[in-house]
Amino acid sequence: MGSVVSGCFVLMLLCLACNVDGRDLEQGIFHAKEGSFADEEDIKIIATYSHSSGEVRMGIVRMKDLSNSWVWENPVDGNHGRMNGPLVEKTMSNHSEMRFDGGSGSQYQPVPPSSPVKLKRQMMRQERRVLRTAELIQRGKEKDDQMVDAAIERSKNLDTTMKGKYSIWRRDYENPNSDSTLKLMRDQIIMAKAYATIAKSKNNTSLYSALMKHSRESHQVIGEASSDAELHSSALDQAKAMGHILSLAKDQLYDCLTVARKLRGMLQSTEENVNALKKKSAFLIQLAAKTVPPPLHCLHLQLTANYYFLHYASKGDLDKEKIEDPSLYHYAIFSDNVLATSVVVNSTMQHAQEPEKHVFHIVTDKLNFAAMKMWFLVNPPAKATVQVENIDDFKWLNSSYCSVLRQLESARIKEFYFKANHPSSLSAGTENLKYRNPKYLSMLNHLRFYLPEVYPKLNKILFLDDDIVVQKDLTPLWSVDLHGMVNGAVETCKESFHRFDKYLNFSNPLISENFDPGACGWAYGMNMFDLKEWKKRNITGIYHRWQDMNEDRTLWKLGTLPPGLITFYNLTYPLDRRWHVLGLGYDPALNLTEIDNAAVIHYNGNYKPWLDLAVSKYKPYWSKHVMFDNPYLRRCSISE
């Protein structure tokens, strides 16, 4: 870059091919556009350029001849602008360097005239916009991640009482390979609802209507079907039609984030519905499980009527010496269910080696005493002795001695049971529905803590629930050495939810300071009690003390197992698990080999074998001990 005329500046120019090239410079051909530098100082500019031959050449151009498309650059602050007006003067006075950028066929968008300060502010504002946009995008991603994590956590915490595909209303198990079309159609309905909502939000009414129409048709085809075999013959055609409309919806509406948000919303709504239905289901199952079926009610009425009309009240004197003989095998059954009690006695005697040595002590309430006694008078088990007693005849069992009876007289307990909808009662959902069951008011459930008082002459007694079935001879249990313990029972700590912290409130210091939360629970239903050791350790007194401390139900909820765990803490001897298998009243996935090999099977839970709720594959173990040919059972329509 050589010498320049006075007042001129040396600038480096790169030619924009769309406006001028080297030949223009050589020939001095420039056409100033309207509004160029006519009034400005005529400044000469030396420009370097590349000739088509590849040589670097120099040329002179005057400022007034520049077109509006030429761009200047200030090498100090990097600002750009058009070569016109005061901006050029400012640029030239600041000794800027002119540079032309471009290439053949390029399109230059001219920048509006502005000062460097304003340009810098614009750049700063643009940077802030970019940063704010990035921040909002990041926040959106974080919110999506949080929603995904929350949905995953909710799905992990979804508690299902039923295992697998078991349904108490239909078959016990479904064939997983038999309902592929049904599963497909259900999935299609879910996606159709999701796309329909998105279509509605985008005012795509035609697609929305089509999706809803096919969804309704799929619902109609599915109906009450639980497998492909139960589907309507048009199911496959409907599935294909739905697949076609879903394909169209996907082409028009699919956006990953939008669909994901919609499905998460549907999942959350479904979970809320499931929780509401679970509460209703829990109530209905409790109601069905504790309501006496009409056939059983009929049986009790028929037996009671004949007991009085046929004058059986004066019959059936028993051998008192046999009832109090400690050398015999004594059983205690506390029940108000005649049919269930008969199964316990029948199944026990069927496997007894010496039936004449077995004595059954049955205690029931005043309402069912006549029916229970009548049944065993007309259907006595071969050679065995059966004693039926009325709990109301135990005059020593009163509120001055018994803690439970005293608590049942309190206003709070009465309000809890009989005024469940009263504003002062516990709010819905804070207590398990099963603990509001009136069976906990019955002293038949608490009589098990008074065995020495009921049978003062006996040394050992085997306690049996009325929902068990005996499958082997139980006499070896009287020979088991309990090693100074009071209670012989099968432990239930195979799973963590059967340990002490499941039943007791360890946030209360009275519990946490006296018991181990990981201690193993055990089962009521088949228990060998050493009554001599019971008296020595004053077990009934221990029970009374803890029951009194739990008057406000802060140590445990109602029931007999929690106070049993406390009363016999460190006083329970674990029996072999083959003596007692539990779960037939709630678990449809038990090992059938374990059931077949067990000495006693227990239908603990709501699905008792005499109810329609019963698990069908477990029911034969119980029903084979029912005398269906008995005239009382036939009269009341009790059949297999």
Side-chain angles (χ1 to χ4, degrees):
M1 305 280 260
S3 59
V4 201
V5 291
S6 177
C8 291
F9 297 91
V10 179
L11 300 111
M12 297 296 295
L13 299 177
L14 296 176
C15 178
L16 291 172
C18 57
N19 295 306
V20 67
D21 59 18
R23 290 187 299 276
D24 294 328
L25 288 171
E26 286 181 331
Q27 298 172 10
I29 302 173
F30 288 95
H31 301 284
K33 294 185 178 180
E34 185 179 355
S36 62
F37 308 104
D39 298 329
E40 304 292 340
E41 181 182 356
D42 191 11
I43 301 174
K44 291 183 179 181
I45 300 172
I46 299 176
T48 61
Y49 62 95
S50 296
H51 190 261
S52 58
S53 62
E55 298 178 3
V56 177
R57 298 184 181 183
M58 300 177 63
I60 298 174
V61 60
R62 295 183 180 277
M63 180 71 75
K64 67 178 182 178
D65 294 329
L66 291 177
S67 102
N68 287 339
S69 62
W70 291 78
V71 180
W72 65 271
E73 177 179 344
N74 188 332
V76 177
D77 57 13
N79 288 329
H80 294 70
R82 290 194 325 181
M83 292 295 297
N84 62 349
L87 184 60
V88 175
E89 294 181 358
K90 178 127 182 112
T91 304
M92 295 305 162
S93 65
N94 288 335
H95 304 281
S96 297
E97 176 181 341
M98 293 297 298
R99 178 179 298 167
F100 296 90
D101 264 329
S104 179
S106 64
Q107 297 293 326
Y108 172 70
Q109 300 295 330
V111 181
S114 180
S115 68
V117 175
K118 290 184 178 179
L119 286 172
K120 189 154 190 172
R121 287 176 180 171
Q122 290 176 0
M123 293 177 65
M124 292 175 66
R125 281 196 295 269
Q126 183 63 24
E127 289 176 1
R128 286 197 297 271
R129 289 193 192 100
V130 172
L131 291 174
R132 180 59 178 167
T133 302
E135 182 183 353
L136 292 175
I137 292 173
Q138 182 63 29
R139 286 185 182 179
K141 290 181 179 178
E142 290 175 358
K143 288 292 183 184
D144 286 341
D145 292 341
Q146 290 175 3
M147 291 178 66
V148 171
D149 293 341
I152 292 173
E153 288 302 318
R154 284 197 301 272
S155 64
K156 288 180 180 179
N157 296 330
L158 187 60
D159 181 23
T160 54
T161 56
M162 298 300 168
K163 294 185 178 180
K165 296 183 178 181
Y166 174 73
S167 170
I168 60 174
W169 306 113
R170 305 189 66 86
R171 58 177 58 86
D172 292 341
Y173 288 96
E174 297 174 6
N175 185 347
N177 299 319
S178 67
D179 56 358
S180 57
T181 304
L182 180 63
K183 290 178 180 177
L184 172 64
M185 295 185 71
R186 286 173 175 168
D187 290 343
Q188 286 179 332
I189 291 173
I190 293 172
M191 291 307 302
K193 289 180 179 178
Y195 280 127
T197 305
I198 298 172
K200 189 174 183 180
S201 66
K202 295 187 176 182
N203 295 323
N204 193 336
T205 55
S206 60
L207 184 57
Y208 170 78
S209 300
L211 288 166
M212 294 306 296
K213 174 178 173 292
H214 282 78
S215 180
R216 287 192 297 269
E217 291 174 353
S218 294
H219 269 299
Q220 292 173 357
V221 170
I222 291 175
E224 298 294 328
S226 61
S227 67
D228 286 357
E230 300 176 8
L231 287 173
H232 192 270
S233 57
S234 62
L236 192 57
D237 293 336
Q238 176 59 34
K240 292 179 180 178
M242 176 67 95
H244 177 68
I245 194 65
L246 286 175
S247 177
L248 294 177
K250 181 179 180 181
D251 292 341
Q252 297 182 34
L253 304 173
Y254 183 78
D255 176 74
C256 186
L257 288 177
T258 304
V259 174
R261 289 193 187 103
K262 179 56 187 172
L263 290 175
R264 282 198 295 271
M266 292 173 65
L267 174 63
Q268 184 175 358
S269 176
T270 302
E271 286 179 354
E272 292 174 355
N273 291 336
V274 167
N275 290 333
L277 291 174
K278 281 173 65 178
K279 290 181 180 179
K280 293 180 181 178
S281 175
F283 172 76
L284 293 175
I285 288 176
Q286 290 295 328
L287 182 63
K290 308 310 177 187
T291 302
V292 178
L296 285 184
H297 185 61
C298 168
L299 177 63
H300 283 229
L301 289 178
Q302 291 286 338
L303 290 168
T304 301
N306 286 351
Y307 179 77
Y308 291 109
F309 291 151
L310 301 179
H311 306 289
Y312 273 86
S314 58
K315 298 180 181 180
D317 292 334
L318 298 174
D319 186 352
K320 189 173 182 180
E321 291 184 2
K322 205 170 186 181
I323 292 174
E324 297 179 348
D325 186 354
S327 64
L328 301 180
Y329 306 114
H330 293 268
Y331 303 83
I333 307 171
F334 305 150
S335 173
D336 57 1
N337 189 324
V338 172
L339 189 61
T341 305
S342 70
V343 169
V344 176
V345 175
N346 292 342
S347 61
T348 304
M349 295 314 300
Q350 182 177 338
H351 300 90
Q353 298 292 337
E354 301 174 285
E356 68 279 0
K357 293 186 178 181
H358 294 258
V359 181
F360 295 90
H361 302 270
I362 300 171
V363 180
T364 187
D365 55 22
K366 183 178 181 179
L367 183 64
N368 297 284
F369 173 74
M372 189 75 75
K373 191 158 187 179
M374 181 65 181
W375 176 267
F376 286 103
L377 285 173
V378 298
N379 301 291
K383 300 181 181 181
T385 301
V386 177
Q387 178 193 28
V388 179
E389 295 181 276
N390 182 358
I391 192 172
D392 290 339
D393 292 336
F394 301 155
K395 302 304 179 184
W396 51 267
L397 197 62
N398 50 56
S399 58
S400 63
Y401 176 63
C402 178
S403 300
V404 173
L405 285 175
R406 183 168 60 254
Q407 291 171 8
L408 292 179
E409 295 177 354
S410 69
R412 281 186 297 177
I413 293 292
K414 290 178 181 178
E415 184 179 52
F416 179 75
Y417 279 106
F418 303 113
K419 297 181 181 179
N421 294 323
H422 194 274
S424 63
S425 64
L426 295 173
S427 60
T430 57
E431 291 281 344
N432 193 317
L433 279 170
K434 72 178 182 179
Y435 294 111
R436 289 181 179 269
N437 194 308
K439 79 172 186 177
Y440 295 113
L441 297 175
S442 173
M443 275 307 300
L444 285 177
N445 283 287
H446 295 272
L447 191 61
R448 64 192 69 188
F449 294 103
Y450 300 95
L451 286 172
E453 285 88 341
V454 181
Y455 310 110
K457 300 292 182 67
L458 302 181
N459 296 329
K460 279 189 175 182
I461 195 166
L462 184 63
F463 174 81
L464 298 176
D465 269 343
D466 63 359
D467 55 352
I468 63 103
V469 173
V470 178
Q471 301 188 128
K472 292 183 179 180
D473 182 24
L474 300 181
T475 54
L477 285 170
W478 274 264
S479 302
V480 173
D481 184 2
L482 299 181
H483 300 278
M485 302 296 180
V486 180
N487 174 26
V490 169
E491 292 183 332
T492 58
C493 54
K494 185 177 180 181
E495 303 292 344
S496 61
F497 57 81
H498 282 144
R499 298 187 181 273
F500 269 46
D501 57 354
K502 171 64 178 179
Y503 304 101
L504 305 177
N505 178 19
F506 275 86
S507 63
N508 191 304
L510 286 173
I511 297 295
S512 59
E513 293 172 4
N514 290 281
F515 304 100
D516 177 11
C520 185
W522 45 266
Y524 261 133
M526 191 212 71
N527 306 82
M528 176 58 70
F529 290 110
D530 186 333
L531 301 184
K532 290 179 67 176
E533 197 69 29
W534 183 307
K535 297 172 188 176
K536 186 188 301 184
R537 295 179 180 269
N538 190 22
I539 295 300
T540 303
I542 296 174
Y543 163 72
H544 281 162
R545 182 166 62 88
W546 282 101
Q547 194 71 47
D548 288 339
M549 288 190 289
N550 191 47
E551 185 171 358
D552 55 358
R553 301 186 305 278
T554 57
L555 303 185
W556 69 85
K557 296 178 181 179
L558 297 178
T560 54
L561 181 56
L565 296 176
I566 287 178
T567 302
F568 297 102
Y569 185 62
N570 290 331
L571 295 173
T572 299
Y573 177 78
L575 298 176
D576 190 292
R577 295 182 62 86
R578 290 172 293 181
W579 279 112
H580 189 189
V581 169
L582 300 99
L584 281 77
Y586 70 88
D587 188 354
L590 293 176
N591 188 307
L592 294 180
T593 302
E594 289 185 7
I595 294 175
D596 293 333
N597 295 332
V600 171
I601 55 175
H602 195 171
Y603 292 83
N604 58 311
N606 287 320
Y607 310 134
K608 303 299 185 186
W610 55 86
L611 299 174
D612 291 336
L613 296 174
V615 182
S616 59
K617 66 177 179 177
Y618 299 152
K619 195 165 184 177
Y621 293 99
W622 182 83
S623 60
K624 67 182 179 182
H625 298 289
V626 179
M627 298 184 293
F628 290 107
D629 58 345
N630 186 280
Y632 284 100
L633 270 60
R634 291 203 307 269
R635 196 177 306 162
C636 293
S637 302
I638 298 176
S639 58
E640 283 189 88

